[in-house]
Amino acid sequence: MAEGTGSFSLEADDTATKVKPVSAWTPDGEKPPENSAKTGTPDEDTVIEAIATVYDPEIPVNIYELGLIYAIDLHDDGSVKVEMTLTAPNCPSAQELPVQVKEAVEKIDAVTSATVEIVWEPPWDMSRMSEDARLALNMF
């Protein structure tokens, strides 16, 4: 292609000056740049609170109270691994719930990344539900 015909490159020019990244706006407010300094281990209670904002669309109880969260691993680099299950292998929310958990955890300032793994052992049963969940669902 001949020079000056409208082509361009997104490659960084060595002579270009470095510009501080611009923060992005979200409906929740201003979000810091991805490279912002997030340090330290996330707090388990804060992670649980974030997970508790996620509800199964068919059950009016959050997934933490339903007993769907099996493990929360917090790491010094700010990463979080969550192991969760579903109420049934053919759960219609199987695709969306793990994504919602990941997004909820990643909103925490101290979290640099989150991974969510679906596990099937041990199988979920109603005994894993909290007392609050049982009361909300009239299953006591």
Side-chain angles (χ1 to χ4, degrees):
M1 183 182 288
E3 221 174 291
T5 59
S7 65
F8 66 95
S9 173
L10 296 177
E11 301 281 326
D13 184 351
D14 290 337
T15 61
T17 58
K18 298 288 182 184
V19 180
K20 181 181 172 188
V22 177
S23 59
W25 183 87
T26 67
D28 294 328
E30 193 168 309
K31 181 179 175 185
E34 292 298 318
N35 301 7
S36 67
K38 292 182 177 181
T39 58
T41 305
D43 176 68
E44 184 176 26
D45 291 335
T46 306
V47 173
I48 290 170
E49 286 175 18
I51 292 171
T53 65
V54 179
Y55 283 75
D56 185 313
E58 297 179 340
I59 305 170
V61 175
N62 74 65
I63 64 169
Y64 189 80
E65 295 293 328
L66 281 175
L68 299 181
I69 303 301
Y70 283 4
I72 299 171
D73 296 327
L74 308 172
H75 301 276
D76 292 336
D77 65 355
S79 63
V80 177
K81 179 181 178 190
V82 177
E83 290 183 4
M84 67 174 288
T85 194
L86 302 168
T87 54
N90 60 350
C91 174
S93 300
Q95 299 299 315
E96 63 195 50
L97 286 177
V99 172
Q100 290 176 357
V101 170
K102 178 180 174 23
E103 290 173 349
V105 172
E106 287 180 337
K107 286 183 181 178
I108 300 168
D109 287 339
V111 173
T112 56
S113 68
T115 56
V116 178
E117 182 181 345
I118 299 291
V119 296
W120 299 107
E121 292 295 326
W124 180 87
D125 63 43
M126 289 189 281
S127 69
R128 300 190 66 86
M129 293 171 41
S130 71
E131 189 173 320
D132 290 340
R134 290 174 192 268
L135 288 171
L137 298 173
N138 292 323
M139 302 175 106
F140 41 88

